Amino acid sequence: MSSVKLTSASGLLSLLTEEENSLKDYALKSLLRVVDDHWAEVAGSLSVVESLYEDEEFPQREHAALLASKVFYHLLELNDSLTYALGAGELFDVSDNSEYVQTLVAKCIDQYVELRVKEVDGKEDLPPIDTRLTSIVERMFERCFRDGQYRQAIGIALETRRLDKLKEAILMCEDINEVLSYTLKASLKLITSREFRFKVLLELVKLYESASAVPDYMSVCTCLMFLDDHSTVAKILDQLISDEDEDKALLAYQIGFDLFENEIPQFLLKVRDEISALVPPPAAPPAAPALEQAGTPSTEEATPEGEAAEGAESMETEEAAPPATAPAPAEGSADALEPTGRLAPTYQTRWQKLQTILSGDATISLHLQFLSSHNKADLLILKGMKNAIETRNSVCHSATILANATMHAGTTCDTFLRENLDWLSRATNWAKFSATAGLGVIHRGHLSQGRSLMEPYLPRGNSPSVSPYSEGGALYALGLIHVDQGEGIRQFLLESLRNTSNDVIQHGACLGLGLASLGTADTTVYEDIKGVLYSESAVAGEAAGIGMGLLLAGTGSEKTEEMLQYAHDTQHEKIIQGLSMGCALTVYGREEEADTLIETLARDADPILRYGGMYATALAYRGTGNNNAIRRLLHFAVSDVSDDVRRAAVLSLGFVLYQTPEQCPRVVALLAESYNPHMRYGAAMAVGIACSGTGLKEAIALLEPLVTDAVDYVRQGALIAMAMVLIQQPETRASGFRKQLDKIIADKHEEVMAKKGAIMAAGLLDAGGRNVTVGLRSRSASHRMAAVLGLAVFTQYWYWYPLAYFISLPLRPSALIGLNSDLKMPKFSATSTCRPSLFAYAPPLSSATTTQVSKAPTAVLSTTAKARAKAKRDADKKGESKPSTPATDADSTMETDEPSARVASPEDAPEPTSEQLENPARVVPTQEKYVRFQEGIGVRYVPLKRNPPSGIIIMKDTRPELPVELVEVEPTQGVAQPAAAPTPAIEEEEPAPPEPFEYAMA
């Protein structure tokens, strides 16, 4: 017999007022079954239901609480609904999949998370968390464990800061290593509290060590790197290279490459020092001649005056150590007593290789070779720019030089400059400074011959300056070449700074020293730069402020108080600008520790210092997505009275959100439609920074209207941002933007600001010979300090154009480079399981294409159109096949231009669905998911890590008995001759003022 559907709940509600508890119990249970349909009626008697719950003598009060909770849920009173759900106890079943339960569980977890965060942080004195709330969360964990949803349990544990449940969830999984890897990525991406993140990482290190007999040393060292535990990392590496198993040594090499990619210079330096302390010095008799022979060919790097630093000598020794024959005598003396442990030749050789890796020499050399040999920059694009800009337009002239430097960043190819020396010589004064600095971008990483390449333009000791702009630019270029690797050039830059009083040379020396000493906090360098700051020169003082910030980057040094005090004392706005940016650089990655400085800067009466406060927030909370940081930036974006501060606040959102790029377009969507053009510019740049190299559709959709904005500098920012988003994206997506850039550059009526942005965007789109991307994070999800800081300083081109060359710092090669145990490149291939054309280089321009850009359209008069129409009608009447019209040549040209282009390209054969990538290979970020290493019994080289299939990867040779076939390395360009730059002739002086004269009024 089918049950009759209840049409009204009034009868059941009347039973709630009866004296018998059994009747009330029956009414409550019946109402719970029909409350979803009759909640409106029950709401009228809600006071009765609440009174039953409040009656502690009523045995079924939990049923009353559950009924009240459901009624309040339908009334959209979620807080009251959750309160009564907690009172329902076990009757509130968290395993139910109904919308009511799922909504309240989410509400419960959110409330529990909020209370737990306050409790763990200890910032407020709060009463203990309601045990009923804790009970529901505990039952939620039990449900996840029961259903095998361990990742969900891990997510809840991280949100609620329950380390006990996190550990329990990980240990219950079958594949512990996979879950540990997931937890590591989630903790780095989702946890905004630095203190709790460190606790999670410490717990992960313990779990990694206990999970298996052989720990995952790569992941352990990654965790220890974030914890800044250099001692343990050094011990692990020393243990690996001491092991007899060759595979352990290969693992140490791979960890070394991964650590260097994360760009934490001070951490690596401490690791090297820790291991060096464990390594005994080699025997004196055999080592001395070997070192002398190794040092002989490296004298080219030494200065004629004998001013090379100790760091340079040590680097030369390290580089020369592997080919030296130092281990041979030890091998020969093995007849008497064979060395063991750290004195063994095998250990010494492995340590020399590891030292080369940790110092960065191996990585930089490999990237230099890759970028030089795979350079696909199209010189016709640059020639088209040069021909399109006006001869006397210095802004576009300098922008073209920057575009050339960006296009050839790290490739050592300066062909365009050598072929256009007369055009290049038009650069004067600060334009010459920038042009010379551009050579540092082109030759970045060319550590062995960087100084010899720049020698013609460097200061000549104590001799008078011939061309201060070229000399200052050359010192700046040396800093760009030796970014984060300045041991061998720092002393020369210091002496150049001490030996000059010219503010232009001081400007270049301060920027170069800041780059070469990035994050080292060297006291000697700081004092010298501070001396320049106190000279009260506006030009040199601005660079000194930025240089001090680069030197102290990430240290959170107390010296910021001294910098702030001088910013308040000086009257030069340029110096204040440099100091405010320098203070922001010092708190890179400090998160909550930087709040005091951020608050000091943000509340200052000077808008320039408030501007620095926005960048301090951006850099301190880079990539964390911290809600408090976002809230602060949005507050200043809509409330500050200074347009500069508002623009900086919006732009800084990109730095905070680049870890989750999909969120940035949503956050700045309304700001991109602001009436204030400064905010629109900031929104465009924020999207470009956060979404760089992703090709996100939402980012492109937001930038497209800004590219055609009515304000020129908004268009400039949107074009640069669009290039950052589309860099190394498939040509099917970027080709339309390329055509748009060509049109803007060729348009003589386009405003200079927008044209400058188009030229910069064109250079950035093809950066590094089309082999680099803008990467603010390493492949192991670590934040790249030099990249983030470089991009932050690059945005200061708004005030000072030479700072635009900092764009080279965030550029990262998109390469797959496999190495064997000797750190050489063996021949092997990987498979890309997609069409070759999908990620192929953009097709090169032809000379015909470049000439068409500036071709003026043929003018057609209205009378001509009427004549053609009349002739066509006459031809139709006479039955003629073709009308005879004037301007036949023009017609035939217009009709055949496009078809001829189609006929010229023959139909290709069906494109293959995959391709083989030969070592070394270009692998763009969006291509990584399609790359597969060869597998099987006959495969000779097996990678130590497969994910991601890019970067420098150590390959294990499974058949070492066979001869090794290595990749032939092409020599880098520009080694034999100095780099091209503006002719270092005597600087053109300003015209002398006219002689005094008297002028008689008529």
Side-chain angles (χ1 to χ4, degrees):
M1 177 178 172
S2 60
S3 60
V4 180
K5 187 176 181 180
L6 191 67
T7 59
S8 175
S10 57
L12 294 174
L13 290 172
S14 64
L15 294 177
L16 296 178
T17 59
E18 295 291 334
E19 295 294 333
E20 293 291 334
N21 287 339
S22 59
L23 294 176
K24 296 177 184 177
D25 181 26
Y26 172 78
L28 288 172
K29 291 180 179 178
S30 301
L31 287 171
L32 284 172
R33 289 193 294 267
V34 299
V35 66
D36 292 335
D37 296 326
H38 300 279
W39 60 269
E41 286 186 78
V42 180
S45 303
L46 192 56
S47 59
V48 179
V49 179
E50 291 179 300
S51 64
L52 290 175
Y53 168 68
E54 294 169 359
D55 185 2
E56 296 183 358
E57 297 181 356
F58 181 59
Q60 304 297 331
R61 57 194 303 265
E62 292 183 351
H63 288 83
L66 184 59
L67 180 61
S69 174
K70 290 190 175 183
V71 173
F72 277 117
Y73 169 75
H74 287 292
L75 292 172
L76 301 180
E77 297 289 343
L78 296 184
N79 290 328
D80 292 332
S81 178
L82 178 59
T83 301
Y84 282 103
L86 295 175
E90 296 293 333
L91 292 180
F92 182 71
D93 186 8
V94 296
S95 62
D96 188 4
N97 290 324
S98 65
E99 182 181 352
Y100 158 72
V101 172
Q102 297 298 320
T103 303
L104 285 193
V105 166
K107 179 73 175 176
C108 175
I109 293 176
D110 289 343
Q111 187 172 339
Y112 183 77
V113 167
E114 182 180 355
L115 295 174
R116 278 286 298 172
V117 169
K118 293 179 180 179
E119 182 182 62
V120 173
D121 291 344
K123 296 181 180 179
E124 301 179 21
D125 294 331
L126 298 172
I129 300 175
D130 192 337
T131 55
R132 299 174 301 173
L133 193 65
T134 305
S135 175
I136 290 182
V137 175
E138 293 283 351
R139 281 188 282 153
M140 194 63 194
F141 278 118
E142 293 174 3
R143 174 193 170 184
C144 293
F145 296 154
R146 185 174 61 253
D147 297 343
Q149 298 177 344
Y150 300 113
R151 293 196 176 191
Q152 184 177 355
I154 290 171
I156 298 175
L158 292 176
E159 290 265 355
T160 57
R161 303 196 177 184
R162 293 286 300 272
L163 287 176
D164 56 334
K165 292 297 180 181
L166 175 67
K167 182 177 180 180
E168 183 179 353
I170 293 174
L171 293 177
M172 292 180 69
C173 297
E174 295 181 359
D175 191 347
I176 294 182
N177 287 328
E178 181 183 353
V179 175
L180 283 172
S181 178
Y182 168 80
T183 307
L184 176 59
K185 293 178 181 178
S187 61
L188 296 176
K189 189 173 183 179
L190 301 178
I191 301 177
T192 57
S193 170
R194 189 183 189 192
E195 182 180 355
F196 180 66
R197 191 188 311 126
F198 283 3
K199 292 180 180 179
V200 173
L201 292 174
L202 279 173
E203 192 67 36
L204 290 179
V205 170
K206 297 176 183 177
L207 291 171
Y208 269 119
E209 292 175 347
S210 61
S212 60
V214 181
D216 183 357
Y217 287 114
M218 287 188 191
S219 299
V220 170
C221 289
T222 300
C223 294
L224 294 172
M225 179 195 67
F226 287 110
L227 293 169
D228 197 25
D229 189 354
H230 51 84
S231 298
T232 308
V233 172
K235 292 177 182 177
I236 291 175
L237 293 176
D238 178 68
Q239 176 186 344
L240 292 175
I241 61 176
S242 302
D243 199 290
E244 295 180 0
D245 189 357
E246 180 71 16
D247 293 349
K248 296 290 182 64
L250 297 180
L251 184 59
Y253 302 157
Q254 185 65 69
I255 293 173
F257 279 117
D258 292 346
L259 290 176
F260 180 79
E261 186 190 14
N262 294 322
E263 292 187 1
I264 308 179
Q266 285 305 295
F267 180 82
L268 289 177
L269 183 60
K270 293 175 182 177
V271 171
R272 289 164 55 192
D273 292 342
E274 290 271 354
I275 304 179
S276 298
L278 300 173
V279 179
L291 291 177
E292 289 176 5
Q293 293 174 6
T296 303
S298 300
T299 54
E300 190 175 3
E301 182 68 15
T303 61
E305 298 80 14
E307 54 195 13
E310 294 180 3
E313 296 173 358
S314 63
M315 286 177 64
E316 291 169 5
T317 303
E318 292 164 9
E319 290 177 357
T325 57
E331 218 171 284
S333 62
D335 297 331
L337 180 63
E338 183 178 355
T340 59
R342 295 188 177 92
L343 290 174
T346 303
Y347 178 88
Q348 294 288 336
T349 303
R350 291 176 177 177
W351 164 233
Q352 290 168 358
K353 293 177 184 177
L354 183 60
Q355 197 173 28
T356 304
I357 295 171
L358 294 176
S359 66
D361 295 340
T363 300
I364 293 173
S365 176
L366 290 168
H367 285 168
L368 192 68
Q369 293 171 6
F370 172 79
L371 293 176
S372 177
S373 61
H374 287 70
N375 179 21
K376 299 293 182 182
D378 195 343
L379 294 180
L380 288 179
I381 296 177
L382 291 169
K383 292 179 180 178
M385 292 180 191
K386 182 176 74 72
N387 296 332
I389 63 176
E390 297 180 8
T391 306
R392 303 179 63 180
N393 192 327
S394 61
V395 174
C396 292
H397 183 276
S398 297
T400 305
I401 297 175
L402 171 63
N404 169 67
T406 311
M407 276 187 181
H408 296 93
T411 64
T412 70
C413 175
D414 52 12
T415 305
F416 177 76
L417 299 179
R418 295 183 185 279
E419 292 178 352
N420 298 276
L421 290 176
D422 291 339
W423 174 82
L424 188 63
S425 63
R426 297 174 189 168
T428 58
N429 300 334
W430 285 107
K432 179 177 288 188
F433 176 93
S434 299
T436 310
L439 294 172
V441 176
I442 295 175
H443 295 279
R444 183 188 174 187
H446 209 164
L447 305 181
S448 61
Q449 298 201 13
R451 183 173 170 187
S452 61
L453 288 166
M454 302 304 303
E455 189 67 35
Y457 319 107
L458 291 172
R460 305 289 181 180
N462 295 322
S463 59
S465 174
V466 177
S467 177
Y469 291 101
S470 291
E471 294 175 7
L475 295 175
Y476 181 16
L478 283 180
L480 292 169
I481 292 173
H482 294 81
V483 172
D484 199 16
Q485 297 290 314
E487 293 92 343
I489 203 66
R490 191 179 304 154
Q491 187 64 29
F492 173 75
L493 291 172
L494 271 175
E495 294 185 2
S496 298
L497 180 63
R498 294 166 181 167
N499 294 336
T500 184
S501 59
N502 186 288
D503 54 359
V504 177
I505 299 178
Q506 289 177 338
H507 185 95
C510 287
L511 290 177
L513 273 172
L515 288 165
S517 308
L518 184 66
T520 60
D522 188 292
T523 305
T524 304
V525 177
Y526 176 80
E527 292 299 327
D528 282 323
I529 296 179
K530 187 173 70 172
V532 175
L533 178 69
Y534 286 171
S535 67
E536 199 63 13
S537 167
V539 172
E542 181 181 24
I546 296 175
M548 292 165 72
L550 293 170
L551 178 69
L552 303 173
T555 62
S557 174
E558 296 179 356
K559 294 175 181 177
T560 52
E561 298 179 5
E562 188 177 2
M563 297 166 66
L564 273 177
Q565 182 60 43
Y566 190 78
H568 286 110
D569 294 341
T570 186
Q571 300 298 316
H572 292 289
E573 287 189 358
K574 287 180 71 67
I575 296 179
I576 300 174
Q577 184 77 38
L579 287 171
S580 68
M581 195 64 200
C583 289
L585 298 176
T586 62
V587 295
Y588 166 85
R590 307 305 293 185
E591 298 183 26
E592 292 87 354
E593 296 179 15
D595 285 346
T596 302
L597 178 63
I598 291 173
E599 195 67 22
T600 302
L601 291 170
R603 298 301 174 188
D604 199 281
D606 191 337
I608 301 179
L609 292 179
R610 294 203 303 275
Y611 175 93
M614 301 303 101
Y615 273 94
T617 305
L619 296 177
Y621 291 95
R622 81 285 178 264
T624 62
N626 186 280
N627 289 331
N628 292 330
I630 296 173
R631 191 178 298 112
R632 179 187 288 116
L633 293 173
L634 289 175
H635 169 72
F636 279 93
V638 299
S639 64
D640 201 276
V641 296
S642 169
D643 284 335
D644 289 340
V645 177
R646 299 176 73 177
R647 182 183 69 250
V650 180
L651 185 148
S652 297
L653 289 169
F655 286 100
V656 178
L657 293 171
Y658 70 73
Q659 183 91 334
T660 53
E662 63 278 357
Q663 292 184 8
C664 188
R666 294 199 299 267
V667 173
V668 304
L670 292 178
L671 300 175
E673 300 175 0
S674 171
Y675 71 92
N676 189 329
H678 289 267
M679 296 182 68
R680 298 201 298 274
Y681 173 91
M685 291 299 291
V687 170
I689 292 168
C691 305
S692 55
T694 62
L696 276 179
K697 294 181 180 179
E698 296 82 0
I700 296 173
L702 185 142
L703 292 172
E704 282 178 344
L706 296 177
V707 169
T708 57
D709 195 274
V711 181
D712 53 357
Y713 58 80
V714 176
R715 298 201 298 276
Q716 179 191 91
L719 290 168
I720 296 173
M722 185 73 85
M724 294 173 68
V725 173
L726 291 176
I727 187 172
Q728 291 218 322
Q729 292 299 305
E731 194 59 21
T732 53
R733 305 187 65 184
S735 58
F737 182 60
R738 290 183 187 276
K739 294 178 182 177
Q740 190 174 16
L741 293 177
D742 292 341
K743 182 179 178 182
I744 294 173
I745 295 172
D747 188 357
K748 295 183 179 180
H749 303 289
E750 183 63 72
E751 296 179 52
V752 174
M753 294 288 285
K755 184 174 289 190
K756 171 186 172 182
I759 295 173
M760 293 172 66
L764 188 57
L765 200 60
D766 293 338
R770 297 175 175 173
N771 291 302
V772 299
T773 186
V774 178
L776 301 182
R777 291 184 300 159
S778 68
R779 293 175 177 86
S780 59
S782 173
H783 307 284
R784 299 175 62 219
M785 183 173 76
V788 177
L789 297 179
L791 195 53
V793 179
F794 161 74
T795 59
Q796 305 309 302
Y797 81 88
W798 177 281
Y799 300 102
W800 189 231
Y801 179 71
L803 297 179
Y805 289 92
F806 273 78
I807 190 60
S808 62
L809 270 65
L811 299 180
R812 184 192 70 191
S814 300
L816 167 60
I817 303 175
L819 302 179
N820 60 11
S821 60
D822 294 327
L823 304 186
K824 304 293 184 181
M825 288 187 289
K827 287 189 176 181
F828 74 91
S829 63
T831 304
S832 176
T833 59
C834 59
R835 293 179 289 107
S837 63
L838 188 59
F839 299 107
Y841 290 104
L845 294 180
S846 62
S847 57
T849 307
T850 56
T851 55
Q852 279 185 347
V853 174
S854 58
K855 182 180 177 181
T858 304
V860 180
L861 301 176
S862 58
T863 54
T864 305
K866 292 178 180 179
R868 291 178 183 173
K870 182 176 182 300
K872 187 176 184 304
R873 289 195 300 270
D874 294 342
D876 291 340
K877 292 179 182 179
K878 297 178 180 180
E880 296 178 1
S881 60
K882 290 185 180 180
S884 59
T885 62
T888 305
D889 294 338
D891 286 348
S892 61
T893 303
M894 294 175 64
E895 291 173 3
T896 59
D897 272 352
E898 188 174 342
S900 64
R902 289 196 297 266
V903 173
S905 57
E907 294 184 2
D908 297 329
E911 187 177 8
T913 57
S914 64
E915 66 172 326
Q916 295 298 313
L917 304 176
E918 300 295 332
N919 182 41
R922 172 183 182 259
V923 177
V924 301
T926 51
Q927 187 183 5
E928 290 177 359
K929 58 185 177 182
Y930 300 106
V931 177
R932 304 286 185 272
F933 289 103
Q934 295 181 358
E935 298 179 352
I937 301 176
V939 176
R940 178 172 183 179
Y941 293 102
V942 179
L944 286 190
K945 68 171 188 176
R946 294 180 177 271
N947 189 25
S950 61
I952 298 176
I953 299 178
I954 299 295
M955 310 295 291
K956 177 183 176 181
D957 189 354
T958 61
R959 305 175 69 181
E961 69 279 0
L962 298 179
V964 178
E965 190 175 2
L966 299 177
V967 177
E968 295 183 3
V969 179
E970 299 179 5
T972 55
Q973 303 178 37
V975 175
Q977 50 190 341
T983 307
I986 298 177
E987 190 72 32
E988 295 183 8
E989 298 181 355
E990 294 288 336
E995 296 292 333
F997 62 93
E998 294 182 359
Y999 179 72
M1001 296 291 293

